[in-house]
Amino acid sequence: MVFFKLRQDASNTVLEKKINDLFLEQNESYLAQTKSTGSYEIEGLVDIHLGSAKLFDAPKGNSQMLYLLFTLGILIMLVSCINYVNISLGIAGGRRVEMGMRRIFGASKVQSLIQFIFELLLMAVICFVIVCLLLLLFWQQLINVGFPKIEMNTINFVTTSSAVLLCILLLSLSSGLYISS
């Protein structure tokens, strides 16, 4: 199996024909002696894992199941975010007396909002750090069970970390704004 990336203007069929012509040219005598044939077929990266099965090929995945599980994962994340906001709201409701006392002693609504957002952001970051530590602690066990081994290079790490931090920030801001209103 060989992986390569084609230019935008390249044609799969032309390249496949050239490769097969070269293969036949290089192996003509062997193929004639053994009375066998052979050829190469170009297959898209997505088709390697989700395409139709071929002879001596690894089992293919089911794209419908993949999309179903992806959608289910997104829904679980959405429910988790709503639950986080709900828990934050419950915590804030229990602190009404504290907020009332702060207001009596001169705290503005903006100061209360900033305090809630900071507390929620701090709680989310602490939870993220705990999850990262648990993941590092149990990484080898996860791989042994069948979890895919993911190679993290600098670009993937920066992109993933930025996305996670943005989600933490948005979730903390949305729940803090919802509580303060």
Side-chain angles (χ1 to χ4, degrees):
M1 185 178 298
V2 177
F3 294 97
F4 54 89
K5 185 175 181 178
L6 294 178
R7 291 189 323 246
Q8 291 290 338
D9 60 339
S11 169
N12 287 354
T13 54
V14 171
L15 180 62
E16 190 173 301
K17 183 176 180 339
K18 286 182 180 180
I19 290 173
N20 283 320
D21 289 345
L22 183 64
F23 171 75
L24 291 173
E25 178 184 311
Q26 296 291 324
N27 297 303
E28 188 174 357
S29 61
Y30 177 76
L31 293 174
Q33 287 174 352
T34 59
K35 295 184 173 105
S36 59
T37 61
S39 66
Y40 287 95
E41 184 178 323
I42 294 179
E43 187 174 26
L45 190 59
V46 173
D47 296 334
I48 291 174
H49 302 290
L50 300 174
S52 58
K54 294 177 179 56
L55 189 62
F56 303 117
D57 200 4
K60 303 290 184 172
N62 184 349
S63 61
Q64 289 178 333
M65 184 62 70
L66 179 69
Y67 293 134
L68 176 73
L69 291 175
F70 178 76
T71 305
L72 185 63
I74 295 296
L75 288 174
I76 289 172
M77 290 294 292
L78 183 65
V79 168
S80 297
C81 290
I82 292 170
N83 192 22
Y84 175 77
V85 171
N86 192 18
I87 289 172
S88 301
L89 189 61
I91 290 171
R95 296 177 59 190
R96 279 187 291 193
V97 174
E98 176 191 345
M99 287 299 123
M101 292 301 290
R102 282 181 49 94
R103 291 268 175 92
I104 288 172
F105 289 118
S108 68
K109 190 170 185 171
V110 173
Q111 289 174 329
S112 299
L113 171 68
I114 290 172
Q115 178 186 348
F116 270 125
I117 290 175
F118 180 74
E119 287 175 2
L120 293 172
L121 186 64
L122 185 64
M123 184 172 62
V125 168
I126 289 171
C127 290
F128 176 69
V129 169
I130 290 171
V131 166
C132 288
L133 291 175
L134 287 173
L135 191 60
L136 286 173
L137 183 66
F138 293 110
W139 186 254
Q140 190 59 45
Q141 287 81 3
L142 289 171
I143 291 172
N144 292 341
V145 172
F147 196 76
K149 188 173 183 179
I150 300 171
E151 297 293 329
M152 276 297 230
N153 58 26
T154 306
I155 295 171
N156 285 345
F157 180 74
V158 169
T159 305
T160 305
S161 299
S162 300
V164 167
L165 290 175
L166 182 66
C167 287
I168 288 173
L169 182 66
L170 289 175
L171 191 59
S172 297
L173 281 174
S174 65
S175 58
L177 289 174
Y178 183 71
I179 288 169
S180 68
S181 60

